[in-house]
Amino acid sequence: MKKVMFAASSGGHLTELLKLEELFNEYDYVLVTEKTEVTDKLKDKYKMEFVKYGPCRNKIKYVLTIIQNLFLAIKLVLKYKPETIVSTGAQVGGFFCYVGKFFGAKVVYIETMAKIKELSGTGNNVYKIADKFYVQWEGLAEKYEKAEYLGRLI
């Protein structure tokens, strides 16, 4: 069975990724997100791994969290050896896309529905390496050559 890692930051990005839930059973999957009170409750329903949640109020803590999550991304990609990384962003999803690509995984990125006229920061970065890049607005598909209109997840 094909190994797929689904990765997204907590909140809206994870909500969008969970709209793909029916795909989870088609693969040997793992879902990766930030550990929060809300996401911790999901571990009984899904095969999950967590990275550190890093609010950006304290800049020093934020930078340390970014570094820690980058190393966690490497550790988890090496542990699960996914053939494909699927992400809806944001930062955490971007880390997993780049780390996965480095270790030979295909990258499937779905731009968040919130981005109507231009790509998000993570979307801009992952666009360069994505094997498949989907958007949820037709106008974005017309603007970015590699982007494909997917329709809306929500």
Side-chain angles (χ1 to χ4, degrees), residues 36-62:
T36 67
E37 260 183 53
V38 174
T39 60
D40 194 46
K41 294 174 185 172
L42 298 173
K43 68 181 178 210
D44 294 330
K45 186 173 180 179
Y46 304 106
K47 181 179 174 183
M48 294 190 76
E49 291 282 356
F50 295 102
V51 296
K52 190 171 170 78
Y53 177 70
C56 56
R57 283 175 259 138
N58 180 325
K59 299 297 181 197
I60 294 171
K61 270 184 146 176
Y62 183 63

Short mmCIF file of all heavy atoms in Angstrom, two decimals, residues 36-62:
data_model
loop_
_atom_site.label_atom_id
_atom_site.label_comp_id
_atom_site.label_asym_id
_atom_site.label_seq_id
_atom_site.Cartn_x
_atom_site.Cartn_y
_atom_site.Cartn_z
N THR A 36 -1.90 20.80 19.80
CA THR A 36 -2.67 21.77 20.58
C THR A 36 -3.72 20.98 21.36
O THR A 36 -3.87 19.77 21.16
CB THR A 36 -3.38 22.80 19.67
OG1 THR A 36 -4.38 22.12 18.91
CG2 THR A 36 -2.40 23.51 18.75
N GLU A 37 -4.47 21.65 22.20
CA GLU A 37 -5.56 20.98 22.92
C GLU A 37 -6.54 20.35 21.95
O GLU A 37 -7.02 19.24 22.17
CB GLU A 37 -6.31 21.99 23.80
CG GLU A 37 -5.91 21.97 25.25
CD GLU A 37 -6.74 22.95 26.06
OE1 GLU A 37 -7.99 22.90 26.01
OE2 GLU A 37 -6.11 23.76 26.76
N VAL A 38 -6.85 21.06 20.90
CA VAL A 38 -7.82 20.58 19.91
C VAL A 38 -7.27 19.41 19.11
O VAL A 38 -7.93 18.38 18.96
CB VAL A 38 -8.24 21.73 18.96
CG1 VAL A 38 -9.13 21.22 17.83
CG2 VAL A 38 -8.94 22.83 19.74
N THR A 39 -6.05 19.53 18.60
CA THR A 39 -5.51 18.47 17.75
C THR A 39 -5.19 17.21 18.54
O THR A 39 -5.26 16.11 18.00
CB THR A 39 -4.26 18.93 16.97
OG1 THR A 39 -3.24 19.32 17.91
CG2 THR A 39 -4.59 20.09 16.05
N ASP A 40 -4.85 17.36 19.81
CA ASP A 40 -4.55 16.20 20.64
C ASP A 40 -5.76 15.26 20.73
O ASP A 40 -5.61 14.06 20.84
CB ASP A 40 -4.10 16.65 22.03
CG ASP A 40 -3.47 15.52 22.82
OD1 ASP A 40 -2.62 14.79 22.26
OD2 ASP A 40 -3.82 15.36 24.02
N LYS A 41 -6.95 15.82 20.64
CA LYS A 41 -8.18 15.01 20.71
C LYS A 41 -8.39 14.18 19.44
O LYS A 41 -9.18 13.24 19.45
CB LYS A 41 -9.38 15.92 20.94
CG LYS A 41 -9.35 16.59 22.29
CD LYS A 41 -10.48 17.59 22.45
CE LYS A 41 -10.32 18.32 23.78
NZ LYS A 41 -11.27 19.41 23.92
N LEU A 42 -7.70 14.52 18.38
CA LEU A 42 -7.86 13.80 17.11
C LEU A 42 -7.08 12.49 17.06
O LEU A 42 -7.32 11.65 16.21
CB LEU A 42 -7.44 14.69 15.94
CG LEU A 42 -8.23 15.96 15.72
CD1 LEU A 42 -7.57 16.81 14.64
CD2 LEU A 42 -9.67 15.65 15.35
N LYS A 43 -6.13 12.32 17.98
CA LYS A 43 -5.24 11.16 17.90
C LYS A 43 -5.95 9.82 18.08
O LYS A 43 -5.43 8.79 17.68
CB LYS A 43 -4.07 11.31 18.88
CG LYS A 43 -4.46 11.22 20.32
CD LYS A 43 -3.25 11.41 21.22
CE LYS A 43 -3.70 11.36 22.67
NZ LYS A 43 -2.90 12.15 23.53
N ASP A 44 -7.14 9.84 18.68
CA ASP A 44 -7.90 8.60 18.82
C ASP A 44 -8.59 8.20 17.52
O ASP A 44 -8.95 7.05 17.32
CB ASP A 44 -8.94 8.72 19.94
CG ASP A 44 -8.29 8.89 21.31
OD1 ASP A 44 -7.18 8.37 21.51
OD2 ASP A 44 -8.90 9.55 22.17
N LYS A 45 -8.79 9.16 16.64
CA LYS A 45 -9.49 8.91 15.38
C LYS A 45 -8.55 8.66 14.20
O LYS A 45 -8.88 7.93 13.28
CB LYS A 45 -10.39 10.10 15.07
CG LYS A 45 -11.27 9.91 13.86
CD LYS A 45 -12.25 11.04 13.69
CE LYS A 45 -13.11 10.78 12.46
NZ LYS A 45 -14.11 11.79 12.23
N TYR A 46 -7.38 9.30 14.24
CA TYR A 46 -6.44 9.23 13.11
C TYR A 46 -5.08 8.74 13.56
O TYR A 46 -4.71 8.89 14.72
CB TYR A 46 -6.25 10.62 12.49
CG TYR A 46 -7.52 11.28 12.03
CD1 TYR A 46 -8.08 12.34 12.73
CD2 TYR A 46 -8.18 10.84 10.88
CE1 TYR A 46 -9.25 12.95 12.32
CE2 TYR A 46 -9.34 11.44 10.46
CZ TYR A 46 -9.88 12.49 11.18
OH TYR A 46 -11.04 13.09 10.77
N LYS A 47 -4.33 8.20 12.61
CA LYS A 47 -2.93 7.85 12.85
C LYS A 47 -2.16 9.17 12.76
O LYS A 47 -2.07 9.75 11.68
CB LYS A 47 -2.45 6.87 11.79
CG LYS A 47 -1.02 6.43 11.95
CD LYS A 47 -0.67 5.44 10.85
CE LYS A 47 0.79 5.08 10.89
NZ LYS A 47 1.13 4.18 9.77
N MET A 48 -1.65 9.65 13.88
CA MET A 48 -1.09 11.01 13.92
C MET A 48 0.28 11.08 14.55
O MET A 48 0.65 10.25 15.37
CB MET A 48 -2.02 11.92 14.74
CG MET A 48 -3.36 12.15 14.10
SD MET A 48 -4.30 13.44 14.91
CE MET A 48 -3.46 14.89 14.30
N GLU A 49 0.98 12.12 14.13
CA GLU A 49 2.22 12.56 14.76
C GLU A 49 2.10 14.06 14.94
O GLU A 49 1.38 14.73 14.18
CB GLU A 49 3.44 12.25 13.88
CG GLU A 49 3.76 10.79 13.74
CD GLU A 49 4.49 10.20 14.95
OE1 GLU A 49 4.83 10.95 15.90
OE2 GLU A 49 4.72 8.99 14.94
N PHE A 50 2.79 14.57 15.93
CA PHE A 50 2.70 15.99 16.23
C PHE A 50 4.07 16.66 16.20
O PHE A 50 5.08 16.06 16.53
CB PHE A 50 2.10 16.21 17.63
CG PHE A 50 0.68 15.75 17.74
CD1 PHE A 50 0.38 14.55 18.36
CD2 PHE A 50 -0.36 16.51 17.24
CE1 PHE A 50 -0.93 14.11 18.47
CE2 PHE A 50 -1.67 16.10 17.34
CZ PHE A 50 -1.96 14.89 17.96
N VAL A 51 4.04 17.92 15.80
CA VAL A 51 5.19 18.80 15.94
C VAL A 51 4.78 19.88 16.93
O VAL A 51 3.63 19.96 17.36
CB VAL A 51 5.64 19.40 14.58
CG1 VAL A 51 6.12 18.30 13.65
CG2 VAL A 51 4.54 20.22 13.94
N LYS A 52 5.73 20.72 17.27
CA LYS A 52 5.50 21.73 18.31
C LYS A 52 4.71 22.91 17.75
O LYS A 52 4.98 23.39 16.65
CB LYS A 52 6.85 22.20 18.83
CG LYS A 52 6.79 23.07 20.05
CD LYS A 52 8.19 23.28 20.58
CE LYS A 52 8.25 24.31 21.65
NZ LYS A 52 7.83 23.95 22.93
N TYR A 53 3.74 23.35 18.52
CA TYR A 53 2.97 24.54 18.17
C TYR A 53 3.81 25.76 18.53
O TYR A 53 4.37 25.83 19.62
CB TYR A 53 1.64 24.57 18.93
CG TYR A 53 0.83 25.82 18.67
CD1 TYR A 53 0.25 26.04 17.43
CD2 TYR A 53 0.66 26.77 19.66
CE1 TYR A 53 -0.49 27.19 17.18
CE2 TYR A 53 -0.08 27.92 19.42
CZ TYR A 53 -0.66 28.12 18.18
OH TYR A 53 -1.38 29.25 17.94
N GLY A 54 3.89 26.71 17.63
CA GLY A 54 4.75 27.87 17.87
C GLY A 54 4.10 29.19 17.56
O GLY A 54 4.28 29.71 16.46
N PRO A 55 3.34 29.73 18.48
CA PRO A 55 2.79 31.07 18.22
C PRO A 55 3.93 32.08 18.13
O PRO A 55 4.96 31.94 18.78
CB PRO A 55 1.90 31.34 19.43
CG PRO A 55 2.42 30.46 20.51
CD PRO A 55 3.03 29.27 19.82
N CYS A 56 3.74 33.10 17.31
CA CYS A 56 4.85 34.01 17.03
C CYS A 56 4.89 35.24 17.94
O CYS A 56 5.53 36.23 17.61
CB CYS A 56 4.85 34.43 15.56
SG CYS A 56 3.31 35.16 15.03
N ARG A 57 4.27 35.19 19.09
CA ARG A 57 4.31 36.33 20.02
C ARG A 57 5.71 36.58 20.56
O ARG A 57 6.17 37.69 20.64
CB ARG A 57 3.33 36.11 21.18
CG ARG A 57 1.88 36.39 20.76
CD ARG A 57 0.93 36.06 21.87
NE ARG A 57 0.37 34.74 21.51
CZ ARG A 57 0.16 33.75 22.33
NH1 ARG A 57 0.41 33.88 23.61
NH2 ARG A 57 -0.32 32.62 21.91
N ASN A 58 6.39 35.50 20.92
CA ASN A 58 7.75 35.61 21.43
C ASN A 58 8.71 35.19 20.31
O ASN A 58 8.80 34.01 19.97
CB ASN A 58 7.92 34.70 22.66
CG ASN A 58 9.30 34.75 23.24
OD1 ASN A 58 10.30 34.88 22.54
ND2 ASN A 58 9.38 34.64 24.56
N LYS A 59 9.42 36.14 19.74
CA LYS A 59 10.24 35.88 18.55
C LYS A 59 11.33 34.84 18.79
O LYS A 59 11.60 34.02 17.92
CB LYS A 59 10.88 37.19 18.04
CG LYS A 59 9.87 38.23 17.62
CD LYS A 59 9.03 37.76 16.46
CE LYS A 59 8.04 38.83 16.05
NZ LYS A 59 6.97 38.34 15.22
N ILE A 60 11.97 34.87 19.95
CA ILE A 60 13.03 33.90 20.22
C ILE A 60 12.46 32.49 20.31
O ILE A 60 12.98 31.56 19.69
CB ILE A 60 13.80 34.27 21.52
CG1 ILE A 60 14.55 35.58 21.30
CG2 ILE A 60 14.76 33.15 21.92
CD1 ILE A 60 15.17 36.17 22.54
N LYS A 61 11.36 32.33 21.03
CA LYS A 61 10.71 31.03 21.13
C LYS A 61 10.23 30.55 19.76
O LYS A 61 10.30 29.38 19.44
CB LYS A 61 9.51 31.09 22.08
CG LYS A 61 9.82 30.80 23.51
CD LYS A 61 8.53 30.81 24.29
CE LYS A 61 8.59 29.80 25.41
NZ LYS A 61 7.40 29.84 26.24
N TYR A 62 9.75 31.49 18.97
CA TYR A 62 9.24 31.17 17.63
C TYR A 62 10.36 30.61 16.75
O TYR A 62 10.18 29.58 16.09
CB TYR A 62 8.62 32.41 17.01
CG TYR A 62 7.99 32.20 15.66
CD1 TYR A 62 6.91 31.34 15.51
CD2 TYR A 62 8.46 32.86 14.54
CE1 TYR A 62 6.32 31.14 14.28
CE2 TYR A 62 7.87 32.67 13.30
CZ TYR A 62 6.80 31.81 13.17
OH TYR A 62 6.23 31.62 11.95
#
